[in-house]
Amino acid sequence: MTDNSTGRRTTAGGVLGAATVAMGLIAGVFYIFACDVMPSLARSDDRVFIEVMRNINDVIQNPVFFLSFMGALVLTAVSAWQLRGSTCRWWVFAALAAYALTFLFTVAVNIPLNNGLANAGDPAKIADPAAVREKFEDTWVAWNVVRALLSTLALACLARALLLYRRPYTSAYLESAAGSSASR
């Protein structure tokens, strides 16, 4: 579905490009948490760890992040629908599946852990901050690594789809005929 009835390009390429950018932004967020934020916080004492994670969880709930987080899902889904008849469709479907899992793990694991941390109360008044941190940190970090891997896989699939989408289609027959002396 790269051409409409008049022969002009449709919006499918733009949506695929936007999905790729949004996915790159989200994969980058999960990646930086896995490679820097959480290892840095691991060096902090329990109360500091809890306070900083609570601040991060409050601040990240903003329209810009929400637009990227939801946009990656919606744009990839729209792209999958638009490109359902194209040669790159399987890459977009694979990206959608990988990011759908990322989204599911975020909603089912990481957000409830964030909420549990918020419900623990003021870090300065928590009786046993080590127990609160222990209940949160290892599980959150492990599932964030899964989210980073899955969203990076989704990004790679969308990048591949974008490359295939931009490549003009030629059939194997035409490619073989182009090299034969009979076609000259």
PDB file of all heavy atoms in Angstrom, residues 110-130:
ATOM      1  N   ASN A 110       5.986  -3.073  36.034  1.00  0.00           N
ATOM      2  CA  ASN A 110       6.716  -1.885  36.472  1.00  0.00           C
ATOM      3  C   ASN A 110       5.822  -0.820  37.096  1.00  0.00           C
ATOM      4  O   ASN A 110       6.182  -0.241  38.124  1.00  0.00           O
ATOM      5  CB  ASN A 110       7.541  -1.307  35.313  1.00  0.00           C
ATOM      6  CG  ASN A 110       8.669  -2.242  34.933  1.00  0.00           C
ATOM      7  OD1 ASN A 110       8.453  -3.162  34.151  1.00  0.00           O
ATOM      8  ND2 ASN A 110       9.850  -2.037  35.482  1.00  0.00           N
ATOM      9  N   ILE A 111       4.667  -0.551  36.509  1.00  0.00           N
ATOM     10  CA  ILE A 111       3.774   0.456  37.092  1.00  0.00           C
ATOM     11  C   ILE A 111       3.259   0.031  38.461  1.00  0.00           C
ATOM     12  O   ILE A 111       3.286   0.836  39.405  1.00  0.00           O
ATOM     13  CB  ILE A 111       2.635   0.830  36.122  1.00  0.00           C
ATOM     14  CG1 ILE A 111       3.215   1.617  34.940  1.00  0.00           C
ATOM     15  CG2 ILE A 111       1.549   1.638  36.823  1.00  0.00           C
ATOM     16  CD1 ILE A 111       2.222   1.930  33.834  1.00  0.00           C
ATOM     17  N   PRO A 112       2.822  -1.225  38.659  1.00  0.00           N
ATOM     18  CA  PRO A 112       2.426  -1.620  40.014  1.00  0.00           C
ATOM     19  C   PRO A 112       3.579  -1.510  41.025  1.00  0.00           C
ATOM     20  O   PRO A 112       3.356  -1.129  42.188  1.00  0.00           O
ATOM     21  CB  PRO A 112       1.968  -3.073  39.853  1.00  0.00           C
ATOM     22  CG  PRO A 112       1.489  -3.147  38.446  1.00  0.00           C
ATOM     23  CD  PRO A 112       2.432  -2.263  37.680  1.00  0.00           C
ATOM     24  N   LEU A 113       4.792  -1.816  40.597  1.00  0.00           N
ATOM     25  CA  LEU A 113       5.933  -1.627  41.505  1.00  0.00           C
ATOM     26  C   LEU A 113       6.134  -0.154  41.835  1.00  0.00           C
ATOM     27  O   LEU A 113       6.399   0.196  42.989  1.00  0.00           O
ATOM     28  CB  LEU A 113       7.205  -2.221  40.887  1.00  0.00           C
ATOM     29  CG  LEU A 113       7.298  -3.735  40.864  1.00  0.00           C
ATOM     30  CD1 LEU A 113       8.470  -4.188  39.987  1.00  0.00           C
ATOM     31  CD2 LEU A 113       7.436  -4.298  42.275  1.00  0.00           C
ATOM     32  N   ASN A 114       5.997   0.699  40.834  1.00  0.00           N
ATOM     33  CA  ASN A 114       6.099   2.142  41.072  1.00  0.00           C
ATOM     34  C   ASN A 114       5.022   2.612  42.056  1.00  0.00           C
ATOM     35  O   ASN A 114       5.292   3.407  42.953  1.00  0.00           O
ATOM     36  CB  ASN A 114       5.953   2.925  39.764  1.00  0.00           C
ATOM     37  CG  ASN A 114       7.091   2.696  38.804  1.00  0.00           C
ATOM     38  OD1 ASN A 114       8.159   2.210  39.177  1.00  0.00           O
ATOM     39  ND2 ASN A 114       6.870   3.048  37.556  1.00  0.00           N
ATOM     40  N   ASN A 115       3.814   2.113  41.872  1.00  0.00           N
ATOM     41  CA  ASN A 115       2.711   2.480  42.764  1.00  0.00           C
ATOM     42  C   ASN A 115       2.971   1.989  44.185  1.00  0.00           C
ATOM     43  O   ASN A 115       2.676   2.693  45.157  1.00  0.00           O
ATOM     44  CB  ASN A 115       1.388   1.931  42.243  1.00  0.00           C
ATOM     45  CG  ASN A 115       0.960   2.610  40.958  1.00  0.00           C
ATOM     46  OD1 ASN A 115       1.409   3.704  40.626  1.00  0.00           O
ATOM     47  ND2 ASN A 115       0.101   1.949  40.207  1.00  0.00           N
ATOM     48  N   GLY A 116       3.523   0.782  44.311  1.00  0.00           N
ATOM     49  CA  GLY A 116       3.864   0.263  45.637  1.00  0.00           C
ATOM     50  C   GLY A 116       4.901   1.118  46.322  1.00  0.00           C
ATOM     51  O   GLY A 116       4.826   1.366  47.544  1.00  0.00           O
ATOM     52  N   LEU A 117       5.867   1.591  45.567  1.00  0.00           N
ATOM     53  CA  LEU A 117       6.894   2.476  46.123  1.00  0.00           C
ATOM     54  C   LEU A 117       6.275   3.799  46.570  1.00  0.00           C
ATOM     55  O   LEU A 117       6.604   4.319  47.640  1.00  0.00           O
ATOM     56  CB  LEU A 117       7.986   2.717  45.079  1.00  0.00           C
ATOM     57  CG  LEU A 117       9.331   3.208  45.559  1.00  0.00           C
ATOM     58  CD1 LEU A 117       9.972   2.205  46.519  1.00  0.00           C
ATOM     59  CD2 LEU A 117      10.255   3.457  44.379  1.00  0.00           C
ATOM     60  N   ALA A 118       5.374   4.326  45.772  1.00  0.00           N
ATOM     61  CA  ALA A 118       4.695   5.577  46.135  1.00  0.00           C
ATOM     62  C   ALA A 118       3.836   5.394  47.377  1.00  0.00           C
ATOM     63  O   ALA A 118       3.775   6.280  48.238  1.00  0.00           O
ATOM     64  CB  ALA A 118       3.828   6.060  44.969  1.00  0.00           C
ATOM     65  N   ASN A 119       3.192   4.237  47.501  1.00  0.00           N
ATOM     66  CA  ASN A 119       2.316   3.976  48.651  1.00  0.00           C
ATOM     67  C   ASN A 119       3.083   3.677  49.937  1.00  0.00           C
ATOM     68  O   ASN A 119       2.478   3.624  51.010  1.00  0.00           O
ATOM     69  CB  ASN A 119       1.369   2.816  48.336  1.00  0.00           C
ATOM     70  CG  ASN A 119       0.374   3.173  47.258  1.00  0.00           C
ATOM     71  OD1 ASN A 119       0.070   4.345  47.034  1.00  0.00           O
ATOM     72  ND2 ASN A 119      -0.123   2.170  46.554  1.00  0.00           N
ATOM     73  N   ALA A 120       4.384   3.482  49.832  1.00  0.00           N
ATOM     74  CA  ALA A 120       5.194   3.194  51.024  1.00  0.00           C
ATOM     75  C   ALA A 120       5.299   4.413  51.942  1.00  0.00           C
ATOM     76  O   ALA A 120       5.649   4.268  53.104  1.00  0.00           O
ATOM     77  CB  ALA A 120       6.588   2.717  50.623  1.00  0.00           C
ATOM     78  N   GLY A 121       5.004   5.588  51.398  1.00  0.00           N
ATOM     79  CA  GLY A 121       5.022   6.791  52.211  1.00  0.00           C
ATOM     80  C   GLY A 121       6.301   7.593  52.053  1.00  0.00           C
ATOM     81  O   GLY A 121       7.157   7.292  51.228  1.00  0.00           O
ATOM     82  N   ASP A 122       6.404   8.612  52.894  1.00  0.00           N
ATOM     83  CA  ASP A 122       7.561   9.505  52.892  1.00  0.00           C
ATOM     84  C   ASP A 122       8.822   8.712  53.216  1.00  0.00           C
ATOM     85  O   ASP A 122       8.879   8.048  54.251  1.00  0.00           O
ATOM     86  CB  ASP A 122       7.336  10.594  53.940  1.00  0.00           C
ATOM     87  CG  ASP A 122       8.452  11.613  54.011  1.00  0.00           C
ATOM     88  OD1 ASP A 122       9.485  11.443  53.324  1.00  0.00           O
ATOM     89  OD2 ASP A 122       8.291  12.593  54.763  1.00  0.00           O
ATOM     90  N   PRO A 123       9.834   8.758  52.333  1.00  0.00           N
ATOM     91  CA  PRO A 123      11.057   7.980  52.574  1.00  0.00           C
ATOM     92  C   PRO A 123      11.714   8.270  53.924  1.00  0.00           C
ATOM     93  O   PRO A 123      12.287   7.374  54.538  1.00  0.00           O
ATOM     94  CB  PRO A 123      11.979   8.394  51.418  1.00  0.00           C
ATOM     95  CG  PRO A 123      11.069   8.874  50.345  1.00  0.00           C
ATOM     96  CD  PRO A 123       9.883   9.456  51.046  1.00  0.00           C
ATOM     97  N   ALA A 124      11.585   9.497  54.400  1.00  0.00           N
ATOM     98  CA  ALA A 124      12.185   9.857  55.697  1.00  0.00           C
ATOM     99  C   ALA A 124      11.459   9.195  56.868  1.00  0.00           C
ATOM    100  O   ALA A 124      12.027   9.068  57.949  1.00  0.00           O
ATOM    101  CB  ALA A 124      12.182  11.375  55.876  1.00  0.00           C
ATOM    102  N   LYS A 125      10.226   8.750  56.646  1.00  0.00           N
ATOM    103  CA  LYS A 125       9.426   8.181  57.730  1.00  0.00           C
ATOM    104  C   LYS A 125       9.211   6.671  57.608  1.00  0.00           C
ATOM    105  O   LYS A 125       8.537   6.081  58.441  1.00  0.00           O
ATOM    106  CB  LYS A 125       8.070   8.883  57.794  1.00  0.00           C
ATOM    107  CG  LYS A 125       8.189  10.368  58.123  1.00  0.00           C
ATOM    108  CD  LYS A 125       6.841  11.031  58.121  1.00  0.00           C
ATOM    109  CE  LYS A 125       7.005  12.521  58.395  1.00  0.00           C
ATOM    110  NZ  LYS A 125       5.741  13.238  58.304  1.00  0.00           N
ATOM    111  N   ILE A 126       9.756   6.045  56.563  1.00  0.00           N
ATOM    112  CA  ILE A 126       9.587   4.603  56.390  1.00  0.00           C
ATOM    113  C   ILE A 126      10.407   3.883  57.453  1.00  0.00           C
ATOM    114  O   ILE A 126      11.601   4.145  57.629  1.00  0.00           O
ATOM    115  CB  ILE A 126      10.032   4.163  54.982  1.00  0.00           C
ATOM    116  CG1 ILE A 126       9.117   4.790  53.916  1.00  0.00           C
ATOM    117  CG2 ILE A 126      10.024   2.645  54.849  1.00  0.00           C
ATOM    118  CD1 ILE A 126       9.562   4.555  52.479  1.00  0.00           C
ATOM    119  N   ALA A 127       9.756   2.987  58.186  1.00  0.00           N
ATOM    120  CA  ALA A 127      10.426   2.280  59.289  1.00  0.00           C
ATOM    121  C   ALA A 127      11.558   1.385  58.789  1.00  0.00           C
ATOM    122  O   ALA A 127      12.627   1.331  59.404  1.00  0.00           O
ATOM    123  CB  ALA A 127       9.407   1.459  60.077  1.00  0.00           C
ATOM    124  N   ASP A 128      11.340   0.674  57.682  1.00  0.00           N
ATOM    125  CA  ASP A 128      12.365  -0.238  57.150  1.00  0.00           C
ATOM    126  C   ASP A 128      12.557   0.030  55.651  1.00  0.00           C
ATOM    127  O   ASP A 128      12.042  -0.716  54.806  1.00  0.00           O
ATOM    128  CB  ASP A 128      11.936  -1.686  57.397  1.00  0.00           C
ATOM    129  CG  ASP A 128      13.030  -2.695  57.073  1.00  0.00           C
ATOM    130  OD1 ASP A 128      14.128  -2.269  56.631  1.00  0.00           O
ATOM    131  OD2 ASP A 128      12.778  -3.905  57.228  1.00  0.00           O
ATOM    132  N   PRO A 129      13.318   1.067  55.318  1.00  0.00           N
ATOM    133  CA  PRO A 129      13.491   1.398  53.898  1.00  0.00           C
ATOM    134  C   PRO A 129      14.205   0.289  53.112  1.00  0.00           C
ATOM    135  O   PRO A 129      13.952   0.121  51.922  1.00  0.00           O
ATOM    136  CB  PRO A 129      14.305   2.690  53.906  1.00  0.00           C
ATOM    137  CG  PRO A 129      14.940   2.744  55.242  1.00  0.00           C
ATOM    138  CD  PRO A 129      14.040   1.997  56.178  1.00  0.00           C
ATOM    139  N   ALA A 130      15.053  -0.484  53.772  1.00  0.00           N
ATOM    140  CA  ALA A 130      15.746  -1.582  53.081  1.00  0.00           C
ATOM    141  C   ALA A 130      14.746  -2.620  52.577  1.00  0.00           C
ATOM    142  O   ALA A 130      14.892  -3.147  51.467  1.00  0.00           O
ATOM    143  CB  ALA A 130      16.774  -2.228  54.004  1.00  0.00           C
TER     144      ALA A 130
END
